[in-house]
Amino acid sequence: MRKLTPTIGAEIFGVDLSRPLGNQQFQEVHDALMDNLVVFFRDQKMTIDQHKDFGRRFGPLHVHPNAPIAIPEHPEILVIKADEKSKRVAGEEWHTDVSCDLEPPMGSILHAIEVPPYGADTLFANQALAFATLSPGMQRMLRGLDAVHSARDAYSPKMQGIHDRFEGMTVTTSEEANVTQVHPVVRRHAETGADTLFVNQQYTVGLDGFWPHEARPILDRLFAHATQDSFTCRWRWAPGDVAFWDNRAVQHMVMGDVTGHRRLMHRTTVAGEAPIPAR
C-alpha cells in the first residue's frame, strides 16, 4: 500500500477485484479504507457482475434515486459518461453522494472504463480532519445543529436545463427531488467513531431552525473550510482504475475539464445508515 497524502488516500497493490476477496484480504482492504478514507486500485478488469460482487462484500447495494437505469439488467450500476460534445460532466461540485437520502450511502466504488487523455481528475476531502481542525467553540456550536439536505438544486425540474447540457448522459429530474431530510451537521462515524463534518455544497440547503440569511454564512464558511487543499488528494485516472471512498467521511468533486473527450465510468454504491449525531 502507498499513501497518496498524509491526510487522505492510499493506493493498494496486489489485489485482483475480479476475484472474490478472502477474509484476510477483505479485512486488509476494509482497514485501509477506514484509515485512508479513499483507496485506489490500478488496472482492474472487472465485469459488471464482479463489480457488484465486490461492492456487496461491504453491504447491500444502493440504487441512485434520480439517475436513470442505463443498464436494465443492472439497476445497481450508475453509468457516468461524457462524450465529445459534453460541455459539463457529472459531479463538478463538491458533494457527499446523495446526502439528501434518509440513509445516505456508506461508500461508492467507481470503475474507469474509458477516460480522456488528460483532465477529469477527481478530488477527495477528509471530513474528519475538517471537523477536527475547527476551533473548540465552533465544534461545540456545530455539535448541536442539524442541517437540511435536499436534491432540489441537483435533480428538481428547475435543473433540467442544466442537465440538458450533459450531452453524453441523461438525468431524471422530478418534483420528488424537492423533499428534504434533516441530518446532524456533525455525525459520528459508525465504524471508527470519528466525528465528521456532514454538510456539502450540492445537497445541504439550510440549517434546521435557522432563517436562510442566518444559515448561509455559516454554511458557506463550512463549505470553504471542508475542502481546502490540505485536506485533499487528487487522482488522475487511467483505464481500469477503481476508487472506493467512504461517503460518511469524504466529500469529492470531479474536475470539469473533459471537453472534446469521452469519459465512461461505472459506479456501485454501498447502502448506509441514518447518520448518528455527534453530541
Side-chain angles (χ1 to χ4, degrees):
M1 186 178 75
R2 178 180 64 87
K3 291 181 74 70
L4 268 66
T5 75
T7 58
I8 184 173
E11 185 175 353
I12 295 178
F13 303 96
V15 177
D16 181 356
L17 299 182
S18 70
R19 306 180 63 174
L21 298 182
N23 290 338
Q24 180 177 344
Q25 201 169 50
F26 165 79
Q27 194 63 49
E28 290 171 351
V29 171
H30 174 274
D31 292 348
L33 179 65
M34 294 302 101
D35 291 343
N36 298 283
L37 303 181
V38 55
V39 292
F40 304 94
F41 308 83
R42 291 282 193 189
D43 195 28
Q44 299 294 319
K45 297 177 174 61
M46 294 188 296
T47 66
I48 287 176
D49 283 321
Q50 290 164 345
H51 186 172
K52 289 163 55 175
D53 287 344
F54 175 59
R56 288 194 183 105
R57 208 53 178 89
F58 293 84
L61 297 184
H62 170 279
V63 176
H64 196 289
N66 295 100
I69 296 174
I71 308 174
E73 62 272 30
H74 297 289
E76 307 91 344
I77 295 290
L78 175 64
V79 176
I80 302 169
K81 60 183 180 179
D83 63 22
E84 295 85 351
K85 297 179 181 179
S86 298
K87 298 178 177 62
R88 300 193 58 184
V89 294
E92 290 181 26
E93 192 171 41
W94 281 107
H95 63 287
T96 300
D97 285 330
V98 284
S99 65
C100 52
D101 276 8
L102 176 63
E103 296 181 333
M106 167 267 176
S108 295
I109 302 166
L110 188 61
H111 186 203
I113 310 300
E114 184 176 359
V115 298
Y118 46 80
D121 296 353
T122 304
L123 285 73
F124 301 87
N126 181 335
Q127 298 306 283
L129 185 59
F131 180 71
T133 51
L134 291 168
S135 68
M138 181 65 83
Q139 290 182 0
R140 283 194 299 272
M141 182 186 77
L142 295 180
R143 285 183 193 276
L145 298 183
D146 292 314
V148 181
H149 296 248
S150 172
R152 71 188 189 198
D153 295 332
Y155 301 115
S156 71
K158 72 175 183 177
M159 301 302 294
Q160 189 61 58
I162 298 295
H163 290 297
D164 288 344
R165 299 180 65 194
F166 290 80
E167 296 188 40
M169 184 176 175
T170 302
V171 172
T172 303
T173 59
S174 72
E175 292 293 344
E176 292 178 4
N178 290 310
V179 172
T180 60
Q181 296 290 346
V182 174
H183 296 309
V185 170
V186 187
R187 69 180 293 179
R188 179 70 47 84
H189 195 288
E191 295 187 73
T192 68
D195 292 342
T196 69
L197 202 56
F198 197 65
V199 294
N200 66 92
Q201 214 169 341
Q202 180 152 2
Y203 294 115
T204 307
V205 298
L207 294 174
D208 192 39
F210 284 65
W211 297 119
H213 69 275
E214 296 171 328
R216 181 49 48 194
I218 298 172
L219 289 174
D220 285 346
R221 177 70 187 95
L222 293 178
F223 297 156
H225 170 78
T227 57
Q228 59 187 281
D229 290 349
S230 59
F231 302 158
T232 68
C233 68
R234 179 169 180 154
W235 186 253
R236 174 166 291 179
W237 294 94
D241 286 359
V242 171
F244 183 6
W245 62 91
D246 188 332
N247 200 57
R248 300 163 294 189
V250 169
Q251 288 194 53
H252 65 285
M253 178 186 73
V254 64
M255 300 299 295
D257 51 2
V258 296
T259 302
H261 298 288
R262 292 175 57 83
R263 183 176 188 259
L264 176 62
M265 323 285 276
H266 287 171
R267 194 183 90 189
T268 56
T269 304
V270 183
E273 69 285 327
I276 304 166
R279 301 300 195 199

